[in-house]
Amino acid sequence: MVSPVRLQPAPDLFDVARIRADFPILSREVHGKPLVFLDSAASAQKPQVVIDAVRHCYEAEYANIHRGVHYLSETATHNYEATREKVRAFINARETKEIIFVRGATEAINLVAASWGGANLKPGDEILITALEHHSNIVPWQMIAEKTGALVRAVPTDETGDFLFERFEDMLTPRTKIVAITHASNAIGTVVPIKDVVATAHARGIPVLIDGCQGIVHRGVDVQDVDCDFYVFSAHKLYGPSGIGVLYGKADLLEAMPPYQGGGDMIETVSIARSTYAALPHKFEAGTPNIAGTVGFGAAIDYVAAIGHDAILAHEDDILGYALERLRGLNDIQLVGTAPERASIISFLIDGVHPHDSGTILDQAGIAVRVGHHCAQPLMDHFDIAGTVRASFAVYNTRADVDALIDGLQDVRKVFA
Amino acid sequence: MNDLRDLYQEIILDHGKSPRNFGKPESFTADANGYNPLCGDKVHVYVTLKDGRVEDVHFEGRGCAISMASASLMTEVLVGKTEAEARALFDKFHELVTTEHELVGDDDIDRLVVLGGVRQYPSRVKCATLAWHTFNNAITGAGEPAKTE
Ligand SMILES: Cc1ncc(COP(=O)(O)O)c(C=O)c1O
């Protein structure tokens, strides 16, 4: 929670200079200026330990997994499966077989929509999402709704971009078959009280999928405590490689779901007439996966776990509070999304300047921000804007990065004066 | 900041802030929607063709300074052109914003040269060409909205 803005020096929970030294890319320049990277919500930079783990996999321990009796295949399989156990511990899942490796959150949601949705949705059934969702937690549901005759409904938000709990409760009907909701908005930072959401849905017998892309980074999760049925996220936002992500699902739900893709590794026996499927988690992991990426992902989890979410949260809250304080002091800046409980993501507009122009000008000062709709067009429509400028803060960001952003805004004003 | 001045020249800032021929005209003979999925920007271009020549171009929409200025300048340079001349000018304009080619000046391309700075910013080229794609769709009667992707 950020509300009381602290302007005294950052709490000394960890040494941000040391953290920054772990990320080689942060020492480069862009357009002749030191890089100020404020786009981690799109994808985070990688610490050396992750880069080294991927490299070591290819240099010393690479072969295909689950298929060989030779040393390298066994080693690669062991390393790949070791990440599964790290993920289990990281989110406190009951069993490793509840951890399915996928390409990313997008694939995880498509998997659940197609497999669970395909088996369970009937004409007239409702899928309840919110106006805060990323396109990847909207479109897969629309696709399965089209196929099954189900309907996608979205809980609206208010002028602050907050999650409206009462509206959510009102929109749960006897036809609601699944709730799919973000843990935290990638566009404006709003954090959703997922534990209460799950309890409310479960009281009516409705399962809940949580899009944890931002939540896992800025808050962490204990899936047994939250009691969600599915939790999905991508490694690349959590300082790991791209092309690898997680679908967590409760074992009984996953057991009952049909496979998503067919192929090697997901079968038990195959004949031309029919095949039987492998047990969890392999039933959902057809084909050769992102082996080195998964190994790198394991290193990323170790890295984040060693810092700890409490320290990460305290640090990010400090930067967030400082950034909000400085931006609120500027009368030509309009914050978009001002929910009280939020992750370290800020969306804003500069009066009279389109976000794309701001983004280009800031880039010339070495400052990387994201501009546009952030794959959340329904949310932009709600605010009646085409897009925003978004600054997101990660473990390696500092108050000096915020100062650079504020200075950069002066360049924007100069061009448009 | 100096490089930025090549992109955001006075004329661009002026047309971006006060676009010419902005708004839906009373009458027109062709129109089309344009959309940039990357940034969500939208334009609507209205064209009046008479005896095979462009008599008037108007546009509505919202977008960045580059896309608004490009649309505004386009509505001015296209007036009086035949369809073939308009298409040829679009080709030249495209070359202007995507290549380093020295374009031998005629008056029309000279007026558009201020937009040449976008060639240094590959992610912004589509901002400059959106209105032109949309104009093209309007005169060819393509039912689909013009897209930059
Ligand atoms: C909240 C949220 N959901 C889903 C996604 C999609 O993730 P990915 O593109 O890694 O599949 C993202 C990131 O882009 C996100 O921030």
Side-chain angles (χ1 to χ4, degrees):
Chain A
M1 200 115 45
V2 60
S3 349
V5 172
R6 295 173 299 262
L7 280 178
Q8 61 268 45
D12 204 10
L13 282 165
F14 63 89
D15 183 352
V16 73
R18 263 190 51 204
I19 300 244
R20 289 182 67 81
D22 293 336
F23 291 79
I25 206 168
L26 295 179
S27 56
R28 69 159 288 170
E29 296 192 336
V30 167
H31 301 309
K33 310 276 167 42
L35 169 65
V36 176
F37 192 75
L38 303 179
D39 193 23
S40 303
S43 199
Q45 300 298 349
K46 318 305 171 200
Q48 191 69 53
V49 285
V50 169
I51 299 166
D52 287 348
V54 172
R55 188 183 165 132
H56 182 73
C57 173
Y58 283 129
E59 285 183 350
E61 296 184 329
Y62 184 78
N64 209 336
I65 56 167
H66 297 146
R67 301 181 184 187
V69 293
H70 58 79
Y71 173 80
L72 282 179
S73 179
E74 283 179 351
T75 307
T77 303
H78 174 266
N79 294 343
Y80 179 85
E81 291 300 330
T83 298
R84 202 188 304 277
E85 168 53 24
K86 286 177 189 189
V87 172
R88 187 209 60 75
F90 190 66
I91 65 173
N92 194 31
R94 202 168 281 115
E95 303 173 79
T96 49
K97 69 176 185 186
E98 295 177 314
I99 308 300
I100 313 290
F101 286 130
V102 288
R103 275 196 304 137
T106 300
E107 186 173 56
I109 299 170
N110 276 281
L111 189 163
V112 175
S115 170
W116 185 93
N120 291 284
L121 293 170
K122 306 269 168 329
D125 284 350
E126 293 172 3
I127 301 156
L128 189 58
I129 63 170
T130 79
L132 295 168
E133 303 311 316
H134 186 281
H135 294 165
S136 61
N137 200 26
I138 303 174
V139 184
W141 299 112
Q142 290 172 335
M143 287 164 60
I144 195 66
E146 179 119 327
K147 256 197 196 140
T148 57
L151 201 73
V152 178
R153 301 182 71 207
V155 182
T157 180
D158 64 6
E159 70 287 348
T160 69
D162 208 355
F163 173 67
L164 303 177
F165 208 101
E166 284 169 16
R167 294 299 296 271
F168 162 69
E169 285 184 297
D170 289 348
M171 289 183 74
L172 290 170
T173 75
R175 288 164 175 256
T176 311
K177 288 290 143 59
I178 190 164
V179 171
I181 187 169
T182 194
H183 189 171
S185 159
N186 66 301
I188 58 172
T190 309
V191 174
V192 172
I194 50 171
K195 193 173 171 178
D196 298 339
V197 164
V198 171
T200 304
H202 281 183
R204 293 163 169 81
I206 305 164
V208 181
L209 173 141
I210 296 180
D211 173 356
C213 274
Q214 303 297 333
I216 194 76
V217 180
H218 301 290
R219 290 294 185 277
V221 71
D222 176 333
V223 291
Q224 291 189 65
D225 178 53
V226 170
D227 199 30
C228 51
D229 301 278
F230 301 104
Y231 192 94
V232 310
F233 60 99
S234 299
H236 68 93
K237 293 175 200 279
L238 193 66
Y239 312 102
S242 59
I244 177 77
V246 169
L247 164 64
Y248 157 80
K250 284 184 180 166
D252 54 337
L253 282 168
L254 292 173
E255 302 277 13
M257 284 159 53
Y260 176 53
Q261 293 178 330
D265 272 348
M266 56 74 71
I267 44 79
E268 203 173 60
T269 62
V270 176
S271 70
I272 294 303
R274 66 181 294 276
S275 303
T276 56
Y277 306 127
L280 291 177
H282 307 292
K283 179 169 93 175
F284 291 107
E285 293 181 6
T288 301
N290 183 349
I291 298 166
T294 306
V295 172
F297 184 19
I301 289 175
D302 288 344
Y303 184 80
V304 173
I307 300 172
H309 266 112
D310 289 347
I312 292 175
L313 181 57
H315 174 71
E316 290 180 349
D317 261 3
D318 175 70
I319 309 290
L320 173 66
Y322 180 68
L324 285 172
E325 175 80 7
R326 292 220 56 188
L327 286 166
R328 284 196 173 116
L330 305 169
N331 50 22
D332 60 349
I333 297 294
Q334 233 195 90
L335 295 176
V336 177
T338 48
E341 171 73 15
R342 59 191 300 171
S344 52
I345 294 171
I346 301 179
S347 255
F348 63 92
L349 291 167
I350 307 168
D351 284 350
V353 186
H354 189 280
H356 265 67
D357 295 316
S358 309
T360 294
I361 296 166
L362 290 169
D363 179 55
Q364 290 297 306
I367 303 166
V369 292
R370 176 83 184 271
V371 296
H373 53 57
H374 318 297
C375 297
Q377 279 183 344
L379 185 61
M380 297 297 118
D381 290 345
H382 163 75
F383 287 111
D384 195 25
I385 52 181
T388 70
V389 180
R390 182 186 72 185
S392 50
F393 306 104
V395 274
Y396 41 67
N397 289 115
T398 62
R399 288 185 172 209
D401 291 337
V402 175
D403 294 336
L405 172 67
I406 303 289
D407 291 347
L409 296 178
Q410 193 50 34
D411 291 352
V412 176
R413 287 187 201 100
K414 255 188 237 156
V415 170
F416 281 88
Chain B
M1 284 299 282
N2 283 341
D3 300 345
L4 282 168
R5 279 287 165 217
D6 289 344
L7 180 62
Y8 293 105
Q9 301 192 27
E10 281 309 322
I11 299 179
I12 292 184
L13 294 174
D14 172 40
H15 278 259
K17 226 180 269 170
S18 351
R20 320 295 196 264
N21 303 307
F22 190 85
K24 185 176 177 178
E26 300 240 310
S27 66
F28 50 89
T29 59
D31 70 316
N33 269 312
Y35 179 59
N36 184 346
L38 198 69
C39 57
D41 286 351
K42 289 173 184 154
V43 292
H44 196 123
V45 171
Y46 304 93
V47 187
T48 303
L49 289 167
K50 201 175 169 201
D51 304 331
R53 281 188 190 272
V54 177
E55 192 178 70
D56 179 72
V57 188
H58 268 68
F59 81 103
E60 294 178 300
R62 61 180 186 188
C64 61
I66 307 295
S67 71
M68 291 294 102
S70 179
S72 174
L73 285 162
M74 178 190 82
T75 63
E76 295 190 334
V77 298
L78 283 175
V79 172
K81 299 280 175 296
T82 65
E83 286 185 37
E85 286 166 347
R87 254 185 233 120
L89 188 56
F90 181 18
D91 288 344
K92 259 195 183 167
F93 177 69
H94 201 266
E95 209 178 324
L96 171 80
V97 293
T98 54
T99 69
E100 296 284 349
H101 297 169
E102 195 64 43
L103 291 172
V104 260
D106 57 49
D107 287 354
D108 295 320
I109 210 70
D110 281 352
R111 289 213 58 202
L112 299 174
V113 159
V114 287
L115 284 159
V118 299
R119 75 171 74 89
Q120 306 300 340
Y121 302 84
S123 66
R124 304 302 302 279
V125 168
K126 287 165 181 162
C127 308
T129 55
L130 176 62
W132 287 86
H133 283 292
T134 311
F135 170 81
N136 212 37
N137 272 21
I139 62 170
T140 55
E144 297 271 290
K147 289 201 198 104
T148 54
E149 298 293 290

